[in-house]
Amino acid sequence: MIIGLLKETKTPVDNRVALTPSQVAKLNQEYPDSEIVVQSSEIRAFSDEEYRKEGVKVVDNVSDCDVLFGIKEAKISTLLPNKHYVFFGHIAKMQEYNRPLLQAFLNKGITFTDYEYLVDDHNIRLCAFGWWAGVVGVYYTLRGYGLKTKEFELPKPDLKFTLEQLILNLKNIKLPKVKLLVTGAGRVSQGAQYVLEKIGAVKVSEKEYLKDTDITNLIYSVADADLLVKRKDGEDFTWDDFIKNPQEYESDFMRWAKYTDVLICAHFWAPDAPVYLSSEDLRSSDNRIRMIGDVTCDIMGSIKSTIRPATHAEPYYDYNPLTEKEELLFANKDNITVEAVDTCPNALPMDASEFFGNMLIPHVFIPLLEGHGEDSKVIERATIVKDGKLTERFSYLKDFSEGY
């Protein structure tokens, strides 16, 4: 078997990769009957030369590869017929902008496996960048707060930026004396909390957070959905009920917004769940929030100030809650500044790639290299298209693929 690591072709560019040079070298040594090669790229966090130094073959043409691994969607024009592709596809939720990509898989006899659906027998995700999104989300949000208030400056991440540097940079500034709320309890939230703990922010309880006190440190609290919504009929919140009947709940977010200066959105949200901060809420005089890091980046979703995604080059925009429009960045202190980069882990491409590779190796690469790919339930569950046909699990995409 020959496995290829693809050059990223999506715009804006992504600098991550499925395996680092040392990870590829180790697998090539352990499985000499197969080979992992790397497609030449000028944008990858690890250079071609770094792979060559580890004895890894760097190629321009990947047509002899059996399985091809990327990070983001490959350009349709680059897709090779009858190959097996693995990357984040963004098609299984019927994302309209990627309908042509799904159609290309079907027309070209391609097999496609999506990282997002690599799950265990209990439907728990095995390979994800969420923790790193939370880490970078905190850095970007605090950096934006410093730029907005002119209290401090944090350097912009470059291609070789690391977690160690990120923490050190935050430790070298005088942290703002504000209240910061982190929403959610999953990997994204855990990554955000990791950074806040490392830099000496003070975690407080819900009761302590929701009262007027003199702020002498960067104070934060964490609230999952059970603390952010309430049943419309006044009955008690239960997770089972909320998951089954989200339409029976309404936002209880304003009690937090009254005491929050900086918001980090790290929660999972679905369209049938309550809107946490409506346009009306954002206009309210009770809303104290003036800096929002929407790490989950649900456009016009649970937080209505997230009106568009941002980029690493320009991570911030200002939202005027009175007009509900975007305005000149940092021009008006009463505007809400939004950080909405939807690929936050790409700010730490080397660390994030190593982390991701360490998850992929046991669950995906080793089964493929040992010849057990066809028998892997993990790979099977994540395979949306096989040999140009929708798999049974994703057969609901048939109408979508046909343009309906």
Side-chain angles (χ1 to χ4, degrees), residues 178-197:
V178 295
K179 282 187 174 180
L180 181 153
L181 179 66
V182 179
T183 61
R187 289 189 181 98
V188 181
S189 176
Q190 290 161 19
Q193 292 177 60
Y194 172 86
V195 173
L196 292 167
E197 182 183 333

Side-chain angles (χ1 to χ4, degrees), residues 8-65:
E8 293 298 313
T9 53
K10 187 172 182 179
T11 304
V13 299
D14 199 297
N15 310 115
R16 292 169 292 174
V17 67
L19 293 172
T20 68
S22 60
Q23 289 170 334
V24 177
K26 188 170 186 290
L27 287 171
N28 280 342
Q29 185 178 16
E30 292 174 353
Y31 298 93
D33 292 337
S34 297
E35 185 177 20
I36 301 173
V37 301
V38 179
Q39 189 173 26
S40 180
S41 169
E42 301 96 31
I43 62 171
R44 195 178 284 131
F46 298 97
S47 67
D48 290 353
E49 190 55 35
E50 286 175 280
Y51 281 97
R52 289 192 186 101
K53 282 181 179 177
E54 292 282 356
V56 178
K57 187 187 294 183
V58 178
V59 300
D60 290 314
N61 190 325
V62 291
S63 60
D64 61 344
C65 294

Side-chain angles (χ1 to χ4, degrees), residues 108-122:
K108 292 175 178 283
I110 284 170
T111 295
F112 171 65
T113 301
D114 195 320
Y115 293 132
E116 188 171 350
Y117 300 96
L118 292 168
V119 296
D120 64 14
D121 292 340
H122 304 288

Side-chain angles (χ1 to χ4, degrees), residues 175-404:
L175 294 172
K177 296 174 183 178
V178 295
K179 282 187 174 180
L180 181 153
L181 179 66
V182 179
T183 61
R187 289 189 181 98
V188 181
S189 176
Q190 290 161 19
Q193 292 177 60
Y194 172 86
V195 173
L196 292 167
E197 182 183 333
K198 284 288 184 182
I199 64 176
V202 178
K203 186 176 184 180
V204 297
S205 67
E206 174 191 3
K207 182 179 178 181
E208 186 69 20
Y209 190 93
L210 297 178
K211 65 181 183 181
D212 287 314
T213 53
D214 290 333
I215 304 173
T216 57
N217 302 93
L218 173 55
I219 291 171
Y220 76 99
S221 194
V222 181
D224 204 357
D226 59 326
L227 300 177
L228 301 176
V229 301
K230 59 185 178 182
R231 271 195 67 100
K232 294 175 182 177
D233 60 8
E235 293 294 314
D236 290 341
F237 176 102
T238 68
W239 276 105
D240 283 347
D241 182 55
F242 180 60
I243 291 166
K244 291 175 185 173
N245 305 297
Q247 71 281 356
E248 300 298 327
Y249 289 78
E250 63 186 2
S251 174
D252 197 21
F253 205 103
M254 284 306 294
R255 68 192 185 99
W256 294 92
K258 289 178 185 178
Y259 299 97
T260 299
D261 303 291
V262 179
L263 172 63
I264 304 281
C265 301
H267 56 265
F268 172 79
W269 184 80
D272 51 357
V275 170
Y276 290 154
L277 279 174
S278 67
S279 300
E280 184 178 351
D281 294 332
L282 292 163
R283 278 194 300 275
S284 169
S285 58
D286 285 338
N287 174 35
R288 198 165 103 184
I289 302 166
R290 284 299 172 266
M291 181 76 213
I292 298 178
D294 194 345
V295 185
T296 51
C297 200
D298 293 313
I299 306 306
M300 292 298 290
S302 63
I303 311 292
K304 291 303 181 185
S305 53
T306 306
I307 54 177
R308 66 170 177 86
T311 65
H312 291 276
E314 297 180 347
Y316 314 106
Y317 55 86
D318 267 14
Y319 170 86
N320 184 326
L322 298 179
T323 64
E324 302 177 21
K325 303 289 186 184
E326 181 177 339
E327 290 191 353
L328 185 65
L329 185 62
F330 306 140
N332 184 343
K333 66 181 179 59
D334 292 326
N335 284 345
I336 298 169
T337 299
V338 178
E339 179 278 306
V341 177
D342 60 358
T343 57
C344 274
N346 197 37
L348 293 172
M350 294 191 301
D351 287 342
S353 294
E354 181 179 17
F355 176 86
F356 196 56
N358 283 336
M359 291 187 290
L360 285 175
I361 286 168
H363 298 299
V364 180
F365 281 101
I366 288 178
L368 288 172
L369 291 167
E370 290 185 347
H372 305 314
E374 291 291 325
D375 303 322
S376 167
K377 292 296 181 186
V378 170
I379 295 174
E380 180 186 323
R381 282 190 287 260
T383 300
I384 296 176
V385 180
K386 187 171 177 61
D387 300 326
K389 293 181 175 57
L390 288 168
T391 59
E392 184 177 348
R393 189 178 183 206
F394 294 94
S395 59
Y396 67 87
L397 292 170
K398 184 175 186 296
D399 285 350
F400 173 72
S401 71
E402 294 173 353
Y404 300 114

